[in-house]
Amino acid sequence: MRMYDLIVKKKQGGELTKEEIDFMIQSYTRGDIPDYQMSAMTMAICFNGMNERETGDLTLSMRDSGDKVDLSNIDGIKVDKHSTGGVGDKTSIALLPLVSSVGVKLAKMSGRGLGHTGGTIDKLESIPGFKTEMSMDAFISQVNDIGMAIMGQTADLAPADKKLYALRDVTATVDQLSLIASSIMSKKLAAGADAIVLDVKSGSGAFMKNPEDAKALADTMVRIGKHAGKQCKAVITNMDEPLGRAVGNAIEVREAIDTLKGKGPDDFTQLVLALGSRMVVCAGKAKDLSEAEDMLKKAIADGSALEQLKRFIIAQGGDASCVDDTSILKLADNVLELKAQSDGYVSHIDCDEVGMCSLILGGGREKKTDTIDPSVGIYLYKKVGDKVCSGDTLAVLYYNDREKADAALSRLKAAYHTGSEKVSHGTLILGEVD
Ligand code: URA
C-alpha cells in the first residue's frame, strides 16, 4: 500500500477502507509516513469529508495506536466527560468533585491547553502544590480511595492523535467534523471509562459556529461511542459569550470553587448541573435527570461537594485551604478596568476576542513550549442582556505586563457591543443527543 495512492483516492472523493485507514494511521504514528503526505491527506479530508464508517474506523485506529487505560480494578461504572472547549470553560473543576460527591467514580485524563487559557491541567496547577503527574497505579488507587482523580494525559494515550492534532493545528485542518470527532473519541475510548458525557459547544467561541454543525458533531461522536460499546450522551451548549464571568487560570479556579459554594454564575451553574445529572444517571446512581439534579443541588447546599473538592486537592498534593480562602489563588496585583461609554444594554460579546485578551495577557499558550501566567485574567462584570450606565465597569483585566494589558484592553473594548434595546442572553442548552 502507498500513502500517495490513498491521497489520490481521497482527493478524488473516494472512500478509504478500514485497512487503508489502519495502514495510514499506524505508519504515520511510527514515522513511516512524512508530515507533508499526512497534511495533504487531512486537507483532502477537509474538502471531501469522510463518511460515518470511515470516521469510526479512523477513531478506532487512533485509539489503538498506543496504550489503553484499564480501569477494571475500580468497582462500579466509571464515567468520563469531555468538552469541545471554549472561553471560560472551567467545567471539570467544579463538575467532577460535585458528581463524585454523590458516589460516581471518575478517573479522568485531561490535557494542557493551546489557546486562550490553559486546559484543565494548567488551571488546576494554579492551586499551590497541586500535582497532575502520577503513575497509573497511583491514579487508580486514588479513585478507589476518594472516588476521583485527574491526571495529565500520558504520551502513550492515542499517540496518533497527538501527532495528527499538532499537524492539523499548523495546516488549518482542525475544523473538520470527522477529524474532530475521531480525535476526541479516540482519546476518550482509550481512557477506559464505561460512560462518556460530551459537552459540544456551539457559537462564536467554539469550533462549531452554529447549532446544526454542533449537533452533527455530537451525533457522530455519540454514535462512535455507542458503537464502541460505551454509554454515550451529548449536550449541545451555547458558546456565543464566555462561560461564567472569569477567564484565565487561577481566576477560573476561584469561580469553580464559588460555584460549589452555591455562589457561581447562573450559566455556569446550569451547565454543571446539566452535565452532572447526565453523568449521575449514566452511573446508575439516579433513575432520571430530575432525581440526579436534586442530588447534585443537595450536595452543593450541604457542603459535601466542597468537602470532596478539598479531599481531591489534598490527594493530589495541593493546598486545600484555597477552598475556604480563594485569595490563596493569586491574581496579578495590577488591574485595568473597561468602562461603558454610554447607557444601554450589552448586546454581544465577541467570545473569541475575550479569549485573545487572556492569551495576550499571558494566560494561554501560542506554542506548546510557552509558559502560562496563572495570575492574569479577565473578570466580566457585565454579560449579554445586562443593563449598563455610562461609566459602569464592564470588565476588569488582571495583568503583570502593562504593554500587554494595554493591547488586551483595546481588544476587549472592541469585543463589547452595546445597544439601546434589551437583548435576552442566549439559551445555554441548545440540544441534546442521547
Ligand atoms: N479537541 C480535540 O481533542 N481534538 C480536536 O480535533 C478538536 C478539539
Side-chain angles (χ1 to χ4, degrees), residues 306-330:
L306 215 53
E307 282 310 309
Q308 180 62 354
L309 174 64
K310 287 183 189 167
R311 242 175 258 131
F312 161 58
I313 294 175
I314 292 167
Q316 298 204 200
D319 177 1
S321 55
C322 69
V323 174
D324 293 324
D325 176 7
T326 53
S327 69
I328 288 171
L329 301 164
K330 287 273 172 267

PDB file of all heavy atoms in Angstrom, residues 306-330:
ATOM      1  N   LEU A 306     -18.160  20.530  48.214  1.00  0.00           N
ATOM      2  CA  LEU A 306     -16.971  21.307  48.586  1.00  0.00           C
ATOM      3  C   LEU A 306     -15.974  20.434  49.364  1.00  0.00           C
ATOM      4  O   LEU A 306     -14.763  20.516  49.149  1.00  0.00           O
ATOM      5  CB  LEU A 306     -17.439  22.484  49.452  1.00  0.00           C
ATOM      6  CG  LEU A 306     -16.716  23.794  49.328  1.00  0.00           C
ATOM      7  CD1 LEU A 306     -16.628  24.289  47.902  1.00  0.00           C
ATOM      8  CD2 LEU A 306     -17.420  24.843  50.196  1.00  0.00           C
ATOM      9  N   GLU A 307     -16.504  19.597  50.244  1.00  0.00           N
ATOM     10  CA  GLU A 307     -15.632  18.676  51.004  1.00  0.00           C
ATOM     11  C   GLU A 307     -14.911  17.726  50.046  1.00  0.00           C
ATOM     12  O   GLU A 307     -13.740  17.421  50.221  1.00  0.00           O
ATOM     13  CB  GLU A 307     -16.459  17.844  52.005  1.00  0.00           C
ATOM     14  CG  GLU A 307     -16.848  18.613  53.252  1.00  0.00           C
ATOM     15  CD  GLU A 307     -15.661  19.316  53.898  1.00  0.00           C
ATOM     16  OE1 GLU A 307     -14.632  18.663  54.143  1.00  0.00           O
ATOM     17  OE2 GLU A 307     -15.762  20.545  54.136  1.00  0.00           O
ATOM     18  N   GLN A 308     -15.626  17.275  49.011  1.00  0.00           N
ATOM     19  CA  GLN A 308     -14.999  16.361  48.040  1.00  0.00           C
ATOM     20  C   GLN A 308     -13.913  17.091  47.251  1.00  0.00           C
ATOM     21  O   GLN A 308     -12.868  16.518  46.945  1.00  0.00           O
ATOM     22  CB  GLN A 308     -16.075  15.762  47.116  1.00  0.00           C
ATOM     23  CG  GLN A 308     -15.549  14.797  46.077  1.00  0.00           C
ATOM     24  CD  GLN A 308     -14.875  13.543  46.662  1.00  0.00           C
ATOM     25  OE1 GLN A 308     -14.678  13.410  47.870  1.00  0.00           O
ATOM     26  NE2 GLN A 308     -14.497  12.628  45.795  1.00  0.00           N
ATOM     27  N   LEU A 309     -14.152  18.352  46.956  1.00  0.00           N
ATOM     28  CA  LEU A 309     -13.116  19.142  46.268  1.00  0.00           C
ATOM     29  C   LEU A 309     -11.862  19.220  47.142  1.00  0.00           C
ATOM     30  O   LEU A 309     -10.738  19.042  46.665  1.00  0.00           O
ATOM     31  CB  LEU A 309     -13.651  20.551  45.952  1.00  0.00           C
ATOM     32  CG  LEU A 309     -12.623  21.516  45.371  1.00  0.00           C
ATOM     33  CD1 LEU A 309     -12.109  21.056  44.005  1.00  0.00           C
ATOM     34  CD2 LEU A 309     -13.216  22.929  45.228  1.00  0.00           C
ATOM     35  N   LYS A 310     -12.057  19.446  48.443  1.00  0.00           N
ATOM     36  CA  LYS A 310     -10.888  19.531  49.347  1.00  0.00           C
ATOM     37  C   LYS A 310     -10.143  18.201  49.372  1.00  0.00           C
ATOM     38  O   LYS A 310      -8.919  18.156  49.296  1.00  0.00           O
ATOM     39  CB  LYS A 310     -11.343  19.876  50.766  1.00  0.00           C
ATOM     40  CG  LYS A 310     -11.798  21.309  50.934  1.00  0.00           C
ATOM     41  CD  LYS A 310     -12.151  21.572  52.389  1.00  0.00           C
ATOM     42  CE  LYS A 310     -12.809  22.929  52.543  1.00  0.00           C
ATOM     43  NZ  LYS A 310     -13.436  23.132  53.839  1.00  0.00           N
ATOM     44  N   ARG A 311     -10.909  17.088  49.484  1.00  0.00           N
ATOM     45  CA  ARG A 311     -10.283  15.755  49.510  1.00  0.00           C
ATOM     46  C   ARG A 311      -9.444  15.539  48.249  1.00  0.00           C
ATOM     47  O   ARG A 311      -8.330  15.044  48.286  1.00  0.00           O
ATOM     48  CB  ARG A 311     -11.396  14.698  49.554  1.00  0.00           C
ATOM     49  CG  ARG A 311     -11.360  13.857  50.798  1.00  0.00           C
ATOM     50  CD  ARG A 311     -12.554  12.906  50.834  1.00  0.00           C
ATOM     51  NE  ARG A 311     -13.560  13.438  51.736  1.00  0.00           N
ATOM     52  CZ  ARG A 311     -14.850  13.580  51.471  1.00  0.00           C
ATOM     53  NH1 ARG A 311     -15.343  13.205  50.315  1.00  0.00           N
ATOM     54  NH2 ARG A 311     -15.662  14.076  52.359  1.00  0.00           N
ATOM     55  N   PHE A 312     -10.023  15.947  47.129  1.00  0.00           N
ATOM     56  CA  PHE A 312      -9.351  15.772  45.829  1.00  0.00           C
ATOM     57  C   PHE A 312      -8.064  16.603  45.776  1.00  0.00           C
ATOM     58  O   PHE A 312      -6.998  16.115  45.367  1.00  0.00           O
ATOM     59  CB  PHE A 312     -10.359  16.172  44.738  1.00  0.00           C
ATOM     60  CG  PHE A 312      -9.780  16.495  43.398  1.00  0.00           C
ATOM     61  CD1 PHE A 312      -9.020  15.567  42.700  1.00  0.00           C
ATOM     62  CD2 PHE A 312     -10.024  17.736  42.798  1.00  0.00           C
ATOM     63  CE1 PHE A 312      -8.505  15.870  41.441  1.00  0.00           C
ATOM     64  CE2 PHE A 312      -9.518  18.037  41.547  1.00  0.00           C
ATOM     65  CZ  PHE A 312      -8.741  17.110  40.871  1.00  0.00           C
ATOM     66  N   ILE A 313      -8.136  17.844  46.227  1.00  0.00           N
ATOM     67  CA  ILE A 313      -6.939  18.709  46.183  1.00  0.00           C
ATOM     68  C   ILE A 313      -5.845  18.128  47.084  1.00  0.00           C
ATOM     69  O   ILE A 313      -4.673  18.034  46.696  1.00  0.00           O
ATOM     70  CB  ILE A 313      -7.302  20.163  46.589  1.00  0.00           C
ATOM     71  CG1 ILE A 313      -8.234  20.787  45.538  1.00  0.00           C
ATOM     72  CG2 ILE A 313      -6.040  21.003  46.767  1.00  0.00           C
ATOM     73  CD1 ILE A 313      -8.757  22.179  45.891  1.00  0.00           C
ATOM     74  N   ILE A 314      -6.237  17.692  48.273  1.00  0.00           N
ATOM     75  CA  ILE A 314      -5.242  17.128  49.210  1.00  0.00           C
ATOM     76  C   ILE A 314      -4.610  15.867  48.612  1.00  0.00           C
ATOM     77  O   ILE A 314      -3.396  15.694  48.631  1.00  0.00           O
ATOM     78  CB  ILE A 314      -5.893  16.821  50.586  1.00  0.00           C
ATOM     79  CG1 ILE A 314      -6.286  18.137  51.275  1.00  0.00           C
ATOM     80  CG2 ILE A 314      -4.967  15.985  51.479  1.00  0.00           C
ATOM     81  CD1 ILE A 314      -7.208  17.985  52.464  1.00  0.00           C
ATOM     82  N   ALA A 315      -5.451  15.001  48.029  1.00  0.00           N
ATOM     83  CA  ALA A 315      -4.931  13.740  47.463  1.00  0.00           C
ATOM     84  C   ALA A 315      -3.906  14.019  46.372  1.00  0.00           C
ATOM     85  O   ALA A 315      -3.007  13.222  46.148  1.00  0.00           O
ATOM     86  CB  ALA A 315      -6.081  12.903  46.910  1.00  0.00           C
ATOM     87  N   GLN A 316      -4.040  15.165  45.698  1.00  0.00           N
ATOM     88  CA  GLN A 316      -3.089  15.461  44.612  1.00  0.00           C
ATOM     89  C   GLN A 316      -2.042  16.491  45.050  1.00  0.00           C
ATOM     90  O   GLN A 316      -1.441  17.164  44.209  1.00  0.00           O
ATOM     91  CB  GLN A 316      -3.857  15.851  43.341  1.00  0.00           C
ATOM     92  CG  GLN A 316      -4.726  14.672  42.890  1.00  0.00           C
ATOM     93  CD  GLN A 316      -5.116  14.602  41.427  1.00  0.00           C
ATOM     94  OE1 GLN A 316      -6.059  13.923  41.114  1.00  0.00           O
ATOM     95  NE2 GLN A 316      -4.407  15.270  40.534  1.00  0.00           N
ATOM     96  N   GLY A 317      -1.831  16.588  46.364  1.00  0.00           N
ATOM     97  CA  GLY A 317      -0.705  17.371  46.895  1.00  0.00           C
ATOM     98  C   GLY A 317      -0.943  18.866  46.986  1.00  0.00           C
ATOM     99  O   GLY A 317      -0.024  19.626  47.291  1.00  0.00           O
ATOM    100  N   GLY A 318      -2.162  19.306  46.749  1.00  0.00           N
ATOM    101  CA  GLY A 318      -2.419  20.748  46.723  1.00  0.00           C
ATOM    102  C   GLY A 318      -2.813  21.308  48.082  1.00  0.00           C
ATOM    103  O   GLY A 318      -3.105  20.572  49.028  1.00  0.00           O
ATOM    104  N   ASP A 319      -2.820  22.633  48.164  1.00  0.00           N
ATOM    105  CA  ASP A 319      -3.184  23.340  49.393  1.00  0.00           C
ATOM    106  C   ASP A 319      -4.698  23.586  49.389  1.00  0.00           C
ATOM    107  O   ASP A 319      -5.185  24.523  48.754  1.00  0.00           O
ATOM    108  CB  ASP A 319      -2.405  24.667  49.431  1.00  0.00           C
ATOM    109  CG  ASP A 319      -2.771  25.507  50.646  1.00  0.00           C
ATOM    110  OD1 ASP A 319      -3.611  25.059  51.463  1.00  0.00           O
ATOM    111  OD2 ASP A 319      -2.235  26.630  50.756  1.00  0.00           O
ATOM    112  N   ALA A 320      -5.427  22.719  50.133  1.00  0.00           N
ATOM    113  CA  ALA A 320      -6.898  22.779  50.093  1.00  0.00           C
ATOM    114  C   ALA A 320      -7.452  23.987  50.836  1.00  0.00           C
ATOM    115  O   ALA A 320      -8.657  24.259  50.764  1.00  0.00           O
ATOM    116  CB  ALA A 320      -7.491  21.498  50.652  1.00  0.00           C
ATOM    117  N   SER A 321      -6.571  24.734  51.550  1.00  0.00           N
ATOM    118  CA  SER A 321      -7.116  25.920  52.233  1.00  0.00           C
ATOM    119  C   SER A 321      -7.591  26.961  51.216  1.00  0.00           C
ATOM    120  O   SER A 321      -8.337  27.876  51.560  1.00  0.00           O
ATOM    121  CB  SER A 321      -6.114  26.505  53.227  1.00  0.00           C
ATOM    122  OG  SER A 321      -4.913  26.780  52.573  1.00  0.00           O
ATOM    123  N   CYS A 322      -7.190  26.796  49.944  1.00  0.00           N
ATOM    124  CA  CYS A 322      -7.671  27.732  48.916  1.00  0.00           C
ATOM    125  C   CYS A 322      -9.183  27.611  48.709  1.00  0.00           C
ATOM    126  O   CYS A 322      -9.813  28.515  48.165  1.00  0.00           O
ATOM    127  CB  CYS A 322      -6.939  27.523  47.593  1.00  0.00           C
ATOM    128  SG  CYS A 322      -7.354  25.977  46.779  1.00  0.00           S
ATOM    129  N   VAL A 323      -9.774  26.515  49.178  1.00  0.00           N
ATOM    130  CA  VAL A 323     -11.226  26.355  49.008  1.00  0.00           C
ATOM    131  C   VAL A 323     -11.961  27.307  49.951  1.00  0.00           C
ATOM    132  O   VAL A 323     -12.927  27.976  49.557  1.00  0.00           O
ATOM    133  CB  VAL A 323     -11.637  24.882  49.266  1.00  0.00           C
ATOM    134  CG1 VAL A 323     -13.146  24.727  49.249  1.00  0.00           C
ATOM    135  CG2 VAL A 323     -10.992  23.978  48.214  1.00  0.00           C
ATOM    136  N   ASP A 324     -11.466  27.402  51.206  1.00  0.00           N
ATOM    137  CA  ASP A 324     -12.107  28.344  52.143  1.00  0.00           C
ATOM    138  C   ASP A 324     -11.640  29.766  51.903  1.00  0.00           C
ATOM    139  O   ASP A 324     -12.383  30.711  52.128  1.00  0.00           O
ATOM    140  CB  ASP A 324     -11.795  27.929  53.592  1.00  0.00           C
ATOM    141  CG  ASP A 324     -12.462  26.598  53.924  1.00  0.00           C
ATOM    142  OD1 ASP A 324     -13.588  26.370  53.418  1.00  0.00           O
ATOM    143  OD2 ASP A 324     -11.856  25.783  54.642  1.00  0.00           O
ATOM    144  N   ASP A 325     -10.392  29.912  51.465  1.00  0.00           N
ATOM    145  CA  ASP A 325      -9.849  31.252  51.252  1.00  0.00           C
ATOM    146  C   ASP A 325      -9.297  31.330  49.821  1.00  0.00           C
ATOM    147  O   ASP A 325      -8.128  31.047  49.568  1.00  0.00           O
ATOM    148  CB  ASP A 325      -8.729  31.500  52.277  1.00  0.00           C
ATOM    149  CG  ASP A 325      -8.049  32.837  52.052  1.00  0.00           C
ATOM    150  OD1 ASP A 325      -8.530  33.616  51.194  1.00  0.00           O
ATOM    151  OD2 ASP A 325      -7.022  33.098  52.716  1.00  0.00           O
ATOM    152  N   THR A 326     -10.173  31.748  48.887  1.00  0.00           N
ATOM    153  CA  THR A 326      -9.768  31.702  47.464  1.00  0.00           C
ATOM    154  C   THR A 326      -8.679  32.736  47.142  1.00  0.00           C
ATOM    155  O   THR A 326      -8.080  32.664  46.063  1.00  0.00           O
ATOM    156  CB  THR A 326     -10.973  31.901  46.517  1.00  0.00           C
ATOM    157  OG1 THR A 326     -11.645  33.079  46.882  1.00  0.00           O
ATOM    158  CG2 THR A 326     -11.919  30.725  46.542  1.00  0.00           C
ATOM    159  N   SER A 327      -8.386  33.668  48.089  1.00  0.00           N
ATOM    160  CA  SER A 327      -7.321  34.634  47.785  1.00  0.00           C
ATOM    161  C   SER A 327      -5.951  33.949  47.717  1.00  0.00           C
ATOM    162  O   SER A 327      -4.985  34.520  47.209  1.00  0.00           O
ATOM    163  CB  SER A 327      -7.306  35.774  48.815  1.00  0.00           C
ATOM    164  OG  SER A 327      -6.872  35.270  50.052  1.00  0.00           O
ATOM    165  N   ILE A 328      -5.889  32.700  48.206  1.00  0.00           N
ATOM    166  CA  ILE A 328      -4.637  31.917  48.081  1.00  0.00           C
ATOM    167  C   ILE A 328      -4.335  31.654  46.601  1.00  0.00           C
ATOM    168  O   ILE A 328      -3.195  31.452  46.211  1.00  0.00           O
ATOM    169  CB  ILE A 328      -4.767  30.619  48.908  1.00  0.00           C
ATOM    170  CG1 ILE A 328      -4.715  30.984  50.386  1.00  0.00           C
ATOM    171  CG2 ILE A 328      -3.698  29.579  48.566  1.00  0.00           C
ATOM    172  CD1 ILE A 328      -5.033  29.863  51.336  1.00  0.00           C
ATOM    173  N   LEU A 329      -5.378  31.656  45.782  1.00  0.00           N
ATOM    174  CA  LEU A 329      -5.181  31.510  44.330  1.00  0.00           C
ATOM    175  C   LEU A 329      -4.871  32.903  43.802  1.00  0.00           C
ATOM    176  O   LEU A 329      -5.762  33.703  43.525  1.00  0.00           O
ATOM    177  CB  LEU A 329      -6.454  30.943  43.685  1.00  0.00           C
ATOM    178  CG  LEU A 329      -6.869  29.588  44.249  1.00  0.00           C
ATOM    179  CD1 LEU A 329      -8.302  29.269  43.882  1.00  0.00           C
ATOM    180  CD2 LEU A 329      -5.923  28.504  43.762  1.00  0.00           C
ATOM    181  N   LYS A 330      -3.600  33.201  43.715  1.00  0.00           N
ATOM    182  CA  LYS A 330      -3.137  34.574  43.480  1.00  0.00           C
ATOM    183  C   LYS A 330      -3.559  35.133  42.131  1.00  0.00           C
ATOM    184  O   LYS A 330      -3.372  34.497  41.098  1.00  0.00           O
ATOM    185  CB  LYS A 330      -1.606  34.620  43.557  1.00  0.00           C
ATOM    186  CG  LYS A 330      -1.077  34.496  44.968  1.00  0.00           C
ATOM    187  CD  LYS A 330      -1.001  35.855  45.646  1.00  0.00           C
ATOM    188  CE  LYS A 330      -0.667  35.781  47.129  1.00  0.00           C
ATOM    189  NZ  LYS A 330      -1.824  35.745  48.014  1.00  0.00           N
TER     190      LYS A 330
END
